[in-house]
Amino acid sequence: MVATGASKAASARVGTCSSRGILCHYLPSAPRSSHARSSRASAAFALKRTSTIASRRGVSSATPTRAPGVVFAASGRSSEESDLPLNSVSVVLLAGGVGKRMGAPLPKQYIQLGGKEIALYSFEVFAGMDHVREIVVVCEEDYDELFKSVGISKPLKFARPGKERQDSCYNGFSLAEQDASLVAIHDSARPLLRAEDAVKCFEDAHAYGAAVLGVPVKSTIKEVGKEDGLVIRTPDRATLWEVQTPQVIKPDLLRRGFDKVKAEGLEVTDDVSIIEQLGEPVRITTGDYYNIKLTTPEDLQLAESVLT
């Protein structure tokens, strides 16, 4: 049984996450009355994490990992070329999922990783960004206090999860400021997001209307029949990208997309698919291979190795 209220996020939990017997620790950190960070501390944390990732790859922290021979759809524009206003992006942080595949006794985004709940990593990254004006967290009411206790300086709002992802996105979007330049939707189960990648995605969305972080697929992909399990075809790998979050969209465009989805009863699996339904372009912004969504116990091990 999961505790309610603020204690729900603070309860100590230790157990195995899957039938493979991988031991994951769900241990709470100290009470968060002193958890608030200054913008300088958040920036230092982000810089340290970026440097750690870069050192593990043997590359400059400013250079995204690129597969050889691949022409990338987008790489973002420098701040000198940007006309995106500061304090103009509304972030919708999705933190209401159940995470059944993790096999944990609480939602995966609230598992402790490196002494802190997974959801707080990207939350703090956005809180430290000059382009972000507010954060709307979509979560169950029991977890409101966890995010409030961080003590960020930006406006913080809460929306409740819907039945499907698109419903949760809509609930969060409905609370965003109407005059925001962009809405950035992010999965809280992606704790390794780099601020510089998010900014690149903001820039591309500002220029094209919608953008999403992504990386070229590394493995060969097969299209397989649902019934017989036989290979239908092998798509050209050079055209395939694995999309991540944030997925960033201009509010008017997203509003039109939601109107169409609701009117036609459509189901979409990610946010920019709503824009695709309108026939509008979506730009791929080159991201980072470490920006994974933590779904299985093995993902937790990888993320912890990057953070420590």
Side-chain angles (χ1 to χ4, degrees):
M1 180 176 293
V2 179
T4 59
S7 63
K8 183 173 183 179
S11 297
R13 302 183 182 277
V14 180
T16 54
C17 288
S18 73
S19 58
R20 297 188 182 186
I22 296 176
L23 185 65
C24 297
H25 297 272
Y26 316 119
L27 300 177
S29 54
R32 297 188 179 274
S33 59
S34 60
H35 191 281
R37 289 178 169 84
S38 66
S39 59
R40 179 177 299 178
S42 296
F45 169 79
L47 178 60
K48 179 180 178 182
R49 183 162 57 87
T50 299
S51 299
T52 299
I53 294 173
S55 65
R56 289 181 178 274
R57 292 179 296 184
V59 297
S60 164
S61 61
T63 305
T65 304
R66 298 190 173 210
V70 175
V71 178
F72 288 85
S75 59
R77 298 184 297 166
S78 68
S79 58
E80 290 79 5
E81 298 172 314
S82 171
D83 58 355
L84 175 64
L86 299 179
N87 197 40
S88 66
V89 179
S90 292
V91 171
V92 175
L93 186 67
L94 300 179
V98 176
K100 294 180 180 178
R101 283 177 289 180
M102 187 66 76
L106 73 168
K108 60 188 176 185
Q109 61 272 24
Y110 300 113
I111 292 173
Q112 290 258 330
L113 187 65
K116 180 166 61 178
E117 287 79 4
I118 288 170
L120 294 185
Y121 282 96
S122 58
F123 177 74
E124 291 180 357
V125 168
F126 287 120
M129 295 178 65
D130 291 336
H131 287 91
V132 174
R133 69 183 301 178
E134 64 175 352
I135 301 178
V136 181
V137 178
V138 182
C139 68
E140 298 293 350
E141 186 176 358
D142 293 331
Y143 292 103
D144 287 3
E145 287 302 321
L146 175 66
F147 295 97
K148 289 179 180 179
S149 67
V150 177
I152 66 173
S153 59
K154 301 181 186 297
L156 176 60
K157 302 175 182 177
F158 294 94
R160 301 303 167 216
K163 181 179 179 181
E164 304 293 342
R165 176 194 171 92
Q166 65 194 53
D167 302 316
S168 296
C169 291
Y170 180 80
N171 293 347
F173 172 55
S174 298
L175 292 184
E177 293 292 337
Q178 296 297 307
D179 60 344
S181 297
L182 298 168
V183 174
I185 303 168
H186 184 68
D187 290 323
S188 64
R190 294 184 186 270
L192 302 180
L193 172 69
R194 303 188 307 179
E196 58 264 41
D197 291 334
V199 171
K200 289 193 303 181
C201 199
F202 295 169
E203 304 290 2
D204 282 341
H206 187 60
Y208 294 92
V212 55
L213 280 183
V215 291
V217 299
K218 296 178 179 180
S219 303
T220 297
I221 306 297
K222 301 286 187 182
E223 183 179 344
V224 180
K226 293 182 179 179
E227 301 297 330
D228 56 17
L230 297 177
V231 172
I232 298 173
R233 67 186 184 95
T234 304
D236 180 5
R237 185 171 60 185
T239 67
L240 300 177
W241 287 64
E242 180 182 348
V243 297
Q244 305 172 340
T245 65
Q247 303 195 7
V248 189
I249 307 165
K250 289 186 175 180
D252 289 345
L253 195 58
L254 184 56
R255 191 170 294 107
R256 284 173 47 208
F258 273 125
D259 288 344
K260 180 179 177 65
V261 166
K262 288 181 176 291
E264 300 181 13
L266 303 175
E267 291 188 7
V268 294
T269 56
D270 71 342
D271 315 304
V272 293
S273 293
I274 297 173
I275 309 309
E276 294 169 32
Q277 292 292 334
L278 295 174
E280 298 288 346
V282 175
R283 184 76 162 173
I284 293 285
T285 303
T286 304
D288 184 274
Y289 283 105
Y290 280 94
N291 184 27
I292 61 172
K293 185 174 183 179
L294 305 190
T295 305
T296 66
E298 292 82 2
D299 296 334
L300 284 176
Q301 292 178 324
L302 173 60
E304 188 166 22
S305 71
V306 172
L307 291 169
T308 58

